[in-house]
Amino acid sequence: MKRTSEVTEQEFLREYDASKYKRPSASIDCAIYTVIEQQLQVLLVERAEHPFKGSWSLVGGYIDPAVDQDLLGAAKRKLREKTGVTTPYLEQCITVGSKERDPRGWSVTTVYYALLSADLVQLKAGAGAQSTKWAPVHEGRVADKLAFDHAALLAMCTERLRGKVLYTSLPLHLMPSEFTLSELQSCYETILGRALESKSFRRRILSADILEDTGKENTDTKRPARIYRRLKSAGTHYFVRNIEGPHREA
Amino acid sequence: MKRTSEVTEQEFLREYDASKYKRPSASIDCAIYTVIEQQLQVLLVERAEHPFKGSWSLVGGYIDPAVDQDLLGAAKRKLREKTGVTTPYLEQCITVGSKERDPRGWSVTTVYYALLSADLVQLKAGAGAQSTKWAPVHEGRVADKLAFDHAALLAMCTERLRGKVLYTSLPLHLMPSEFTLSELQSCYETILGRALESKSFRRRILSADILEDTGKENTDTKRPARIYRRLKSAGTHYFVRNIEGPHREA
DNA sequence: AGAATAGTGTCTGTAAGACACTATGCC
DNA sequence: GGCATAGTGTCTTACAGACACTATTCT
């Protein structure tokens, strides 16, 4: 039985004033990966404004409550603004928040990573005419000193990516629409930073039933190679065993 | 060469007024799991205030920029306030944010999940004298209708937990400090919702070298069982293969 | 022919599943 | 002895690694 002096939820919400409370800022950041010339690369943008004006950073920015429907939508918007790509592989990696990570105060950022084929991208100078570039990633790091804690965010995304490459078909999303098994293997090797046995690799990929033979051949190489395409019906494949290391030392 | 009319970063930060911008609210939520009587259980609290006053929800609340150093600290604070436990297994699962999920407006919440042994917990009525309870989780759901989108958050955490149980030693964190292999197997089975082959299970766990024999025996059962303890030196073990399903149908 | 790259045959090794078996206690 | 639970022996199966082999094209 409800006493009339109690506030209903409707009344509560009518009186609720969000501006009374201190809130952290909320942003998203995105490590956008591709593979170019046997190197894992990440898209960087040069910051046009303070703080860290002139530094390179991951793609990202504040959530705009007036524009963004949800968090994933905000990530897709940033990605679209910088690359023109609308439907890449996009996965949330981690959210970090602290008093220290942004000099403007307490901030929370949700970090996504995206995988896409380099040939889909026309780099766009975004709002503020910032310049953008691909930077090679080695051991989870780029040569440039990154703004904020973006070096740490990139390292976390790269570690997550490497981990998942051991038991999934994720690298397919880094390939152009048609490719050979050797090219796919090279992509795996680039991310893992080591050579793989080609027999094991082919057996693993082919038995997963995630590729379609186009019937075409790539004749740019010595011996022509079969050209495959990702099966549209296939989502990300999860293998039941990891790619393991070599069993013998060199 | 710097023109004197340019603003330095210091000047920029001195002038920066965070209150000029609309921000989403930022909170954390935590699915706190334990296993009691062969059932996976999650800790729920009854909301003392609007919105969803009187509904059950996961443990959580706003980040307090004045109190919390960082996101993980905020999660630990909530956990401590509700359970008194300070160092459980705690892992970030997902962050969701949208205009719709909280009637007070755009909100972002980072969801953690915690694993702990039921015998560590003295349930505490927290600030606002809310009541708390353990609720059994079946197929990722509890019987109660949860506040906000907490049913979806719980489902995501539970799915993540189930997935990781296939290739890690995570369930160790749900056990009391000493336990038998049968008890541990039962814990795995509870989470996975199916029986495991005991020979495979024992081989897997024992060869991982993560347990220590206490030398004691549990005599509550028909045949006494060796009692083990988690090796302090062992972190989470990642098996190279998943627990698979049965190979034959019944 | 020789080099380079694509692709196969087939052996070994490892860890999971199946399941019958033994071991130890209680009644 | 009969039951329940703990724990083992050992065969089969699935799939990764090793590596020598064949296949196709170019020069």
Side-chain angles (χ1 to χ4, degrees), chain B residues 183-222:
Chain B
E183 286 161 355
L184 181 59
Q185 179 174 350
S186 162
C187 180
Y188 271 81
E189 290 172 337
T190 301
I191 299 170
L192 294 175
R194 71 163 192 264
L196 300 178
E197 283 295 323
S198 65
K199 177 61 179 178
S200 307
F201 181 81
R202 303 171 92 86
R203 202 170 37 198
R204 185 176 167 97
I205 299 294
L206 291 175
S207 65
D209 223 51
I210 50 182
L211 297 186
E212 180 179 34
D213 192 333
T214 62
K216 291 185 270 184
E217 289 197 327
N218 176 354
T219 51
D220 295 353
T221 51
K222 295 288 184 169

Side-chain angles (χ1 to χ4, degrees), chain B residues 11-12 21 28 34-35 46 121 154 157 172 211 219 248:
Chain B
E11 287 161 357
F12 166 85
Y21 305 98
I28 70 98
T34 196
V35 169
E46 191 176 10
V121 182
L154 175 62
C157 288
L172 283 181
L211 297 186
T219 51
R248 293 165 212 197

